[in-house]
């Protein structure tokens, strides 16, 4: 693959990472707002439904995020093998450690936030 093709793959992977965060972040924020509005006092089936929606969205978002980050790391490995890589390519290569934030820290923050919301919903 050429450097330009690899950079295009990087751009798509980065876009997938961004998009994969939108739904879980939106749903977490809405859930906090709904907690303030009394969600914790609703019947158990409603709280369970909210929990399921959050969990499904979070798991799917984290899986998409992790997969896109893995693809990004593959692009970085390929870019390292390209002779005479451009400044943009070198910057992408230098961002490899930041991809681990996407792979591990983002999902960990979701889990912590999800646990806090479960606490607020059920305890």
């Amino acid at each position: 693959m050429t450097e330009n093709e690899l950079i295009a793959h990087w751009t798509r992977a980065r876009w997938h990472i961004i998009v994969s965060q939108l739904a879980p972040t939106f749903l977490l924020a809405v859930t906090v707002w709904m907690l303030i509005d009394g969600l914790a006092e609703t019947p158990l089936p409603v709280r369970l439904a909210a929990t399921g929606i959050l969990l499904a969205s979070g798991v799917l978002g984290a899986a998409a995020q992790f997969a896109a980050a893995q693809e990004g790391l593959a692009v970085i490995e390929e870019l390292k093998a390209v002779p005479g890589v451009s400044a943009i390519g070198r910057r992408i290569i230098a961002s490899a450690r930041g991809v681990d934030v996407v792979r591990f820290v983002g999902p960990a923050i979701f889990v912590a936030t999800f646990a806090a919301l479960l606490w607020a919903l059920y305890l």
Side-chain angles (χ1 to χ4, degrees):
M1 259 187 206
T2 68
E3 181 182 1
N4 285 339
E5 290 170 327
L6 290 168
I7 291 172
H9 279 292
W10 171 261
T11 302
R12 281 192 299 276
R14 191 174 64 185
W15 179 246
H16 289 147
I17 290 167
I18 292 166
V19 170
S20 70
Q21 296 171 1
L22 295 177
T25 301
F26 175 75
L27 287 173
L28 289 169
V30 167
T31 303
V32 169
W33 174 74
M34 290 172 60
L35 279 166
I36 292 169
D37 204 37
L39 179 62
E41 287 78 38
T42 61
L44 181 61
V46 173
R47 290 181 283 149
L48 289 172
T51 302
I53 291 167
L54 284 175
L55 185 59
S57 173
V59 167
L60 293 174
Q65 217 172 352
F66 190 84
Q70 291 291 94
E71 291 171 18
L73 287 175
V75 168
I76 288 169
E77 290 302 314
E78 292 288 331
L79 277 172
K80 288 178 181 178
V82 172
V85 77
S86 68
I88 292 172
R90 287 191 304 274
R91 293 288 181 176
I92 292 171
I93 292 167
S95 70
R97 300 208 22 106
V99 175
D100 284 335
V101 171
V102 172
R103 289 191 315 158
F104 302 114
V105 176
I109 291 170
F110 172 81
V111 169
T113 306
F114 183 72
L117 289 173
L118 286 179
W119 183 0
L121 276 171
Y122 297 103
L123 300 178

